[in-house]
Amino acid sequence: MIVERFLADIEVAERVLGHIDAGTTDRTLEVWREPVANYRSEERFQSDLEVIRRSLVPFCPSGALPDAGSYRAGLAAGVPLLVVRGRDGLARAFVNACRHRGAQIASGTGCRNVLVCPYHGWSYELDGDLRHIPHVDGFPDVDKSTHGLVQLHVEEKHGLIFVRQHDHLAGLEDTSTLSTLIEPEQEVIEVNEFTVEANWKIHLESFLEGLHIRFTHTDTFFPFGYDNLNIVEKNGLHSRITFPFRRIETLAEIPANERQIDGKLTYVYHLFPNALLTVLSHHTNLIVLDPLSINRTRMTNYRMTNRGDVEGAKDRAQRDSKFVGSTGVEEDAAVVKSIQESIGSGANDHFTFGQYEAAIIHLHRNLAKAINYLDNKG
Ligand code: FES
Ligand SMILES: [Fe+2]
């Protein structure tokens, strides 16, 4: 059965060891059929975007904006966002659009005292207030107090900065009980952006089950792991999949409450709807999947050191991510691309997610629920 909370590390270890002994794995009782049209239709794509805009979505780790004036710009569900840490230490999110004629105020990342539009120099305070208009005599009717940057809802918690662009969906309350996901000592060591030529859900699904490890990652991950042995937990709209390494078997000799799981398993958190947090042996990634069109997805990857890992953590993280990055990611990308290429063929009118793909079923059920609220109740 699927656990409805995130277990503590020692509970996960115990559960994994139990599965190894019994030759079992976590599974659900249901099977889900997802219409292929939901990956292909422009209308459904717009609904997916609206669900993302109305969800609290991780934008970046808190550590990506370390100082007053630190900012990061990026597209989220088709809307350019600018997230800035103010002098008061609070993170704020704005639509990245100048109130003069809409130019984007900043791009990429950096640190500034004032946000100056690159087009005609209108400048904004870190809290979004419009501060200065060059040649202001040409704008006799512009009330500065109503022309600040348009602010969005932000919550900084669990070590992440979350942004919600629109009102949340009534009916789709988040009942999750997440604890800290990223600790302050976890340093952001690299930020990468890739464009994946596939629908965002096809890409996302490739992270959320262990059925493919033996077949897709035959010579890379599989020799260190298992065939279809995973822990799947749900937590509100979110889920977490545990991929144990074979070396976890050494923990069987150790008393349960003394077991350290570091380096013995990979955690993949799915943060509904479109973010992932992967905790590997020596590094942690926040991955945000931003749909660009029905068949293109921007993937932003914040690579961090691991929790509690300080001395030499950066080097270990670099080595670890090189291995995972050059092997597993390419193998997954190839499969994802192949699905996108076949998806218009008509071979499938639905995809079947089986009892070992519970986290993906959870995703599709929640998405379907969200879209139902969107359609019926606004
Ligand atoms: S568009 Fe920003 S100053 Fe003109
Ligand atoms: Fe994979």
Side-chain angles (χ1 to χ4, degrees):
M1 296 309 288
I2 303 302
V3 179
E4 300 269 345
R5 66 184 170 97
F6 291 163
L7 301 169
D9 291 345
I10 55 170
E11 294 175 289
V12 170
E14 185 69 20
R15 200 169 169 89
V16 169
L17 294 172
H19 280 319
I20 292 170
D21 276 350
T24 51
T25 185
D26 278 3
R27 70 193 293 177
T28 179
L29 292 176
E30 55 186 337
V31 168
W32 180 272
R33 288 171 201 278
E34 182 68 9
V36 165
N38 288 351
Y39 302 81
R40 303 246 308 134
S41 107
E42 192 55 46
E43 193 193 349
R44 170 61 191 240
F45 179 72
Q46 293 303 328
S47 299
D48 284 356
L49 286 185
E50 191 55 21
V51 171
I52 294 171
R53 292 185 194 119
R54 297 182 64 154
S55 301
L56 200 56
V57 178
F59 182 79
C60 65
S62 292
L65 301 182
D67 306 310
S70 295
Y71 69 86
R72 171 163 284 282
L75 206 62
V79 177
L81 303 187
L82 176 60
V83 180
V84 184
R85 192 171 300 284
R87 280 180 230 291
D88 54 5
L90 296 180
R92 292 183 183 79
F94 307 103
V95 179
N96 191 5
C98 180
R99 298 302 307 282
H100 176 214
R101 284 164 52 195
Q104 294 186 35
I105 304 295
S107 60
T109 187
C111 191
R112 289 189 192 160
N113 285 321
V114 195
L115 303 163
V116 183
C117 177
Y119 204 1
H120 317 93
W122 286 31
S123 63
Y124 301 85
E125 303 286 359
L126 300 179
D127 65 5
D129 283 355
L130 177 57
R131 164 163 139 175
H132 179 69
I133 302 177
H135 303 292
V136 69
D137 54 308
F139 299 94
D141 299 329
V142 172
D143 176 359
K144 275 200 204 159
S145 71
T146 60
H147 283 73
L149 296 175
V150 171
Q151 203 165 335
L152 305 169
H153 178 79
V154 168
E155 290 179 33
E156 186 164 16
K157 56 185 185 182
H158 317 313
L160 298 170
I161 299 172
F162 293 80
V163 178
R164 197 183 64 229
Q165 300 186 31
H166 296 179
D167 289 346
H168 86 277
L169 278 164
L172 200 75
E173 311 301 340
D174 184 11
T175 57
S176 64
T177 51
L178 301 180
S179 50
T180 302
L181 297 169
I182 306 290
E183 298 284 355
E185 79 270 11
Q186 293 185 251
E187 214 181 317
V188 178
I189 50 177
E190 203 175 287
V191 185
N192 294 311
E193 278 192 4
F194 310 90
T195 301
V196 181
E197 302 295 327
N199 182 271
W200 71 281
K201 291 174 288 190
I202 297 175
H203 192 53
L204 178 56
E205 288 159 0
S206 74
F207 289 84
L208 300 182
E209 42 80 9
L211 274 182
H212 76 279
I213 300 296
R214 179 176 143 212
F215 298 96
T216 304
H217 305 299
T218 315
D219 301 319
T220 51
F221 297 150
F222 178 56
F224 304 98
Y226 295 92
D227 177 24
N228 191 27
L229 199 166
N230 302 93
I231 308 299
V232 181
E233 304 142 279
K234 300 187 217 175
N235 192 332
L237 300 169
H238 316 299
S239 61
R240 180 174 72 171
I241 302 92
T242 300
F243 299 81
F245 295 117
R246 285 176 188 273
R247 52 184 179 261
I248 200 170
E249 291 175 29
T250 59
L251 294 184
E253 314 301 324
I254 298 171
N257 57 357
E258 290 172 24
R259 290 174 185 151
Q260 299 284 331
I261 53 98
D262 299 17
K264 307 262 186 317
L265 52 79
T266 296
Y267 283 137
V268 175
Y269 292 80
H270 172 228
L271 302 174
F272 182 87
N274 61 327
L276 294 152
L277 188 77
T278 62
V279 183
L280 296 110
S281 293
H282 296 293
H283 72 292
T284 297
N285 299 292
L286 172 69
I287 301 168
V288 183
L289 301 180
D290 200 53
L292 300 175
S293 70
I294 45 174
N295 52 18
R296 295 187 81 212
T297 304
R298 168 89 43 83
M299 171 170 160
T300 307
N301 189 349
Y302 297 86
R303 185 159 296 152
M304 289 163 278
T305 57
N306 269 358
R307 177 186 295 227
D309 195 3
V310 185
E311 199 63 21
K314 257 184 164 172
D315 291 342
R316 279 191 293 279
Q318 296 285 20
R319 276 199 303 273
D320 201 27
S321 64
K322 221 180 201 165
F323 170 73
V324 178
S326 61
T327 55
V329 171
E330 280 165 26
E331 289 166 345
D332 286 321
V335 174
V336 165
K337 184 164 169 267
S338 82
I339 297 170
Q340 187 65 49
E341 283 174 3
S342 87
I343 207 165
S345 66
N348 294 293
D349 60 10
H350 63 268
F351 291 146
T352 306
F353 297 97
Q355 297 183 344
Y356 300 120
E357 294 167 298
I360 303 179
I361 295 177
H362 192 54
L363 156 72
H364 285 301
R365 169 162 294 122
N366 285 322
L367 264 183
K369 222 189 260 178
I371 286 167
N372 188 40
Y373 286 124
L374 207 59
D375 292 346
N376 294 325
K377 300 181 185 97

